[in-house]
Amino acid sequence: MARISTAHTSIDFDKAGKQVGFVSIPHSPHEDAWGAVRIPLAVIGNGAGPTAILMGGNHGDEYEGPITLGELIRDLDPAEVNGRLIFLPALNLPAVVAGRRVSPVDGLNLNRTFPGDPIGTITQQISAYVSDVIFPMGDAMLDLHSGGSSLDIMPSAVIEPAPSEEHRRRNAAAALAFGAPLTVVIDNLGDPRTSTASSVRVGMTTVGTEMAGGGTVSLNALQICRRGVRNVLAHLGVLPSATPAPVEGDRKIFRIPGPPGFVYATTDGVFEPAHRLGTMVRAGEQAGRVHNLADPGRTPETLYYQADGMVYGRRQPGRVVAGNCCVTVASLYEGSLP
Ligand code: CA
């Protein structure tokens, strides 16, 4: 049964051609009793081909995806499209406007709220709209992330694990079609509340990304993202197959191997990494040190890797408190497809 929602849009999802508008979700704070949060929404439709959903701004401080999607909205001619593209390029709008990972309205991380709650807070209402209205229209979903303010991550296409072999193959083929230098399986420790986990649950071919980070725009990652999104859309048959650029890398798949893939700070201080991103490391090797700058006589605390693999991501700000993620390792994936 459909959940009750006050979200509304003037976009007609079944109409051919290009429409650029908003989905408005009523929001009633002190300064705007009958106002709304207007989330950008665009649809480009042409014929009976597949529907691809393209999302950016799930986190408000990750920019390569939203820039790429804005360009596609402006540049694509509906005649180039076979099927339908649904764009939500600034999904958690209050977070995007604030340039922050989480919403300043309710403090929530949109990507930990799926499938959402249409009578919950504004962030929960956004994920509910995506779950209830947008996802049922899709054959495929791309959610374009970067590392955000606290992480710098090797630009990569991301595979969300799926329960069936057929679905796993579909997700892996689409992620490999992106043509990023790295393709990595990330399950967020099995968290069911992400957009990609939610999209897999409803059967969609699902692709994620991690594109650098540090709360800035990486020229290199932006190039990879622009090319990769078009590559995936060509792979899905929504854009002509003449469009894709050659696929980069050796098509090896990596995987964050659960908890051992994360090196957490064990004390407060400043983290000094031992290796650059992309370095191959071994479990037990030194990952870095945490310095107590206020007490220089004290020996820095050493952190160690717990998995063999590649230094895939690292914390961006130097300051850490105990529990912060300092380094992430991705291991070569040697089993059958995830
Ligand atoms: Ca993110």
Side-chain angles (χ1 to χ4, degrees):
M1 200 177 72
R3 299 188 288 181
I4 292 164
S5 168
T6 52
H8 54 92
T9 180
S10 57
I11 298 263
D12 177 351
F13 291 97
D14 297 322
K15 196 169 129 188
K18 186 188 297 193
Q19 301 168 76
V20 183
F22 302 92
V23 52
S24 297
I25 302 182
H27 180 54
S28 182
H30 172 79
E31 62 279 6
D32 188 15
W34 284 2
V37 172
R38 296 202 311 164
I39 298 157
L41 169 65
V43 178
I44 306 179
N46 181 35
T51 294
I53 297 160
L54 300 119
M55 307 200 309
N58 178 329
H59 293 136
D61 58 346
E62 304 177 5
Y63 303 122
E64 287 81 2
I67 290 173
T68 297
L69 296 186
E71 289 171 349
L72 283 173
I73 290 168
R74 295 188 297 276
D75 296 349
L76 276 179
D77 180 335
E80 294 174 76
V81 173
N82 167 42
R84 180 169 55 176
L85 299 172
I86 300 176
F87 296 91
L88 286 159
L91 183 55
N92 196 354
L93 185 80
V96 171
V97 170
R100 295 184 63 80
R101 178 175 184 80
V102 304
S103 175
V105 179
D106 55 21
L108 291 183
N109 174 350
L110 177 68
N111 216 27
R112 300 293 182 273
T113 65
F114 282 85
D117 179 356
I119 54 169
T121 67
I122 195 72
T123 304
Q124 294 169 317
Q125 290 180 57
I126 295 170
S127 47
Y129 182 80
V130 171
S131 298
D132 294 353
V133 178
I134 302 293
F135 278 3
M137 291 187 276
D139 298 292
M141 197 284 282
L142 280 75
D143 192 12
L144 304 171
H145 286 250
S146 304
S149 304
S150 75
L151 287 172
D152 188 14
I153 303 181
M154 306 261 308
S156 37
V158 173
I159 300 174
E160 174 76 31
S164 80
E165 179 69 21
E166 178 276 330
H167 199 172
R168 284 193 282 276
R169 286 188 183 285
R170 240 185 317 133
N171 286 352
L176 285 167
F178 194 96
L182 272 178
T183 306
V184 182
V185 181
I186 301 180
D187 72 353
N188 293 289
L189 303 174
D191 201 312
R193 301 170 299 168
T194 65
S195 65
T196 47
S198 198
S199 152
V200 163
R201 276 198 299 276
V202 297
M204 275 191 283
T205 302
T206 300
V207 176
T209 66
E210 292 296 349
M211 291 285 144
T216 189
V217 179
S218 155
L219 276 177
N220 176 44
L222 185 55
Q223 265 185 344
I224 292 165
C225 191
R226 281 179 175 133
R227 195 185 51 205
V229 171
R230 281 183 175 267
N231 283 347
V232 174
L233 293 178
H235 169 82
L236 296 169
V238 188
L239 288 185
S241 57
T243 315
V247 168
E248 228 184 86
D250 54 12
R251 300 175 71 84
K252 280 189 184 141
I253 296 177
F254 284 76
R255 175 180 64 123
I256 297 181
F262 299 89
V263 178
Y264 298 110
T266 51
T267 183
D268 298 3
V270 169
F271 176 65
E272 171 205 1
H275 300 102
R276 293 177 200 281
L277 289 181
T279 308
M280 297 303 292
V281 298
R282 312 284 296 181
E285 202 177 328
Q286 219 186 90
R289 301 188 295 172
V290 180
H291 297 265
N292 185 333
L293 301 186
D295 189 2
R298 198 159 120 191
T299 306
E301 198 146 308
T302 304
L303 307 182
Y304 298 93
Y305 298 114
Q306 296 176 71
D308 298 348
M310 177 186 287
V311 179
Y312 173 58
R314 59 160 282 201
R315 184 175 166 79
Q316 177 67 20
R319 287 288 312 173
V320 295
V321 299
N324 283 162
C325 175
C326 294
V327 185
T328 303
V329 171
S331 307
L332 199 54
Y333 192 81
E334 287 171 314
S336 56
L337 280 176

mmCIF file of all heavy atoms in Angstrom, residues 59 62 101 111 145-148 210, ligand 1:
data_model
loop_
_atom_site.group_PDB
_atom_site.id
_atom_site.type_symbol
_atom_site.label_atom_id
_atom_site.label_comp_id
_atom_site.label_asym_id
_atom_site.label_seq_id
_atom_site.Cartn_x
_atom_site.Cartn_y
_atom_site.Cartn_z
ATOM 1 N N HIS A 59 25.155 13.013 -0.319
ATOM 2 C CA HIS A 59 25.930 13.757 0.679
ATOM 3 C C HIS A 59 26.235 15.127 0.074
ATOM 4 O O HIS A 59 26.595 15.227 -1.104
ATOM 5 C CB HIS A 59 27.215 13.016 1.033
ATOM 6 C CG HIS A 59 26.940 11.717 1.750
ATOM 7 N ND1 HIS A 59 27.582 10.534 1.452
ATOM 8 C CD2 HIS A 59 26.067 11.444 2.750
ATOM 9 C CE1 HIS A 59 27.118 9.578 2.253
ATOM 10 N NE2 HIS A 59 26.199 10.094 3.043
ATOM 11 N N GLU A 62 30.016 16.393 -1.739
ATOM 12 C CA GLU A 62 30.643 15.507 -2.730
ATOM 13 C C GLU A 62 30.190 16.003 -4.097
ATOM 14 O O GLU A 62 29.015 15.950 -4.415
ATOM 15 C CB GLU A 62 30.200 14.060 -2.463
ATOM 16 C CG GLU A 62 30.522 13.653 -1.024
ATOM 17 C CD GLU A 62 30.044 12.254 -0.643
ATOM 18 O OE1 GLU A 62 29.542 11.531 -1.519
ATOM 19 O OE2 GLU A 62 30.198 11.902 0.536
ATOM 20 N N ARG A 101 27.983 16.972 4.693
ATOM 21 C CA ARG A 101 27.586 15.574 4.501
ATOM 22 C C ARG A 101 26.142 15.333 4.927
ATOM 23 O O ARG A 101 25.369 14.667 4.249
ATOM 24 C CB ARG A 101 28.515 14.678 5.336
ATOM 25 C CG ARG A 101 28.194 13.188 5.265
ATOM 26 C CD ARG A 101 29.256 12.396 6.027
ATOM 27 N NE ARG A 101 29.076 10.972 5.938
ATOM 28 C CZ ARG A 101 29.448 10.226 4.904
ATOM 29 N NH1 ARG A 101 29.990 10.798 3.857
ATOM 30 N NH2 ARG A 101 29.268 8.931 4.892
ATOM 31 N N ASN A 111 22.018 8.927 3.490
ATOM 32 C CA ASN A 111 22.395 7.579 3.080
ATOM 33 C C ASN A 111 22.381 6.572 4.224
ATOM 34 O O ASN A 111 22.881 5.464 4.088
ATOM 35 C CB ASN A 111 23.768 7.587 2.400
ATOM 36 C CG ASN A 111 23.835 6.592 1.268
ATOM 37 O OD1 ASN A 111 22.814 6.266 0.658
ATOM 38 N ND2 ASN A 111 25.028 6.073 0.987
ATOM 39 N N HIS A 145 28.858 9.180 -5.548
ATOM 40 C CA HIS A 145 29.470 9.704 -4.323
ATOM 41 C C HIS A 145 30.929 10.045 -4.557
ATOM 42 O O HIS A 145 31.564 9.548 -5.488
ATOM 43 C CB HIS A 145 29.416 8.658 -3.209
ATOM 44 C CG HIS A 145 28.059 8.470 -2.631
ATOM 45 N ND1 HIS A 145 27.727 8.869 -1.360
ATOM 46 C CD2 HIS A 145 26.943 7.937 -3.163
ATOM 47 C CE1 HIS A 145 26.459 8.578 -1.129
ATOM 48 N NE2 HIS A 145 25.959 8.013 -2.204
ATOM 49 N N SER A 146 31.455 10.877 -3.639
ATOM 50 C CA SER A 146 32.893 11.112 -3.529
ATOM 51 C C SER A 146 33.237 10.883 -2.056
ATOM 52 O O SER A 146 32.379 10.454 -1.288
ATOM 53 C CB SER A 146 33.246 12.534 -3.963
ATOM 54 O OG SER A 146 32.784 12.775 -5.285
ATOM 55 N N GLY A 147 34.462 11.191 -1.667
ATOM 56 C CA GLY A 147 34.853 10.900 -0.281
ATOM 57 C C GLY A 147 34.283 11.868 0.741
ATOM 58 O O GLY A 147 34.253 11.569 1.924
ATOM 59 N N GLY A 148 33.838 13.060 0.293
ATOM 60 C CA GLY A 148 33.331 14.048 1.241
ATOM 61 C C GLY A 148 34.451 14.705 2.027
ATOM 62 O O GLY A 148 35.642 14.464 1.785
ATOM 63 N N GLU A 210 33.027 6.293 -5.831
ATOM 64 C CA GLU A 210 33.754 7.137 -4.888
ATOM 65 C C GLU A 210 34.746 7.923 -5.728
ATOM 66 O O GLU A 210 35.543 7.334 -6.456
ATOM 67 C CB GLU A 210 34.487 6.301 -3.826
ATOM 68 C CG GLU A 210 33.563 5.571 -2.854
ATOM 69 C CD GLU A 210 32.718 6.507 -1.984
ATOM 70 O OE1 GLU A 210 32.979 7.726 -1.969
ATOM 71 O OE2 GLU A 210 31.804 5.993 -1.318
HETATM 72 CA CA CA B 1 29.497 9.664 0.160
#
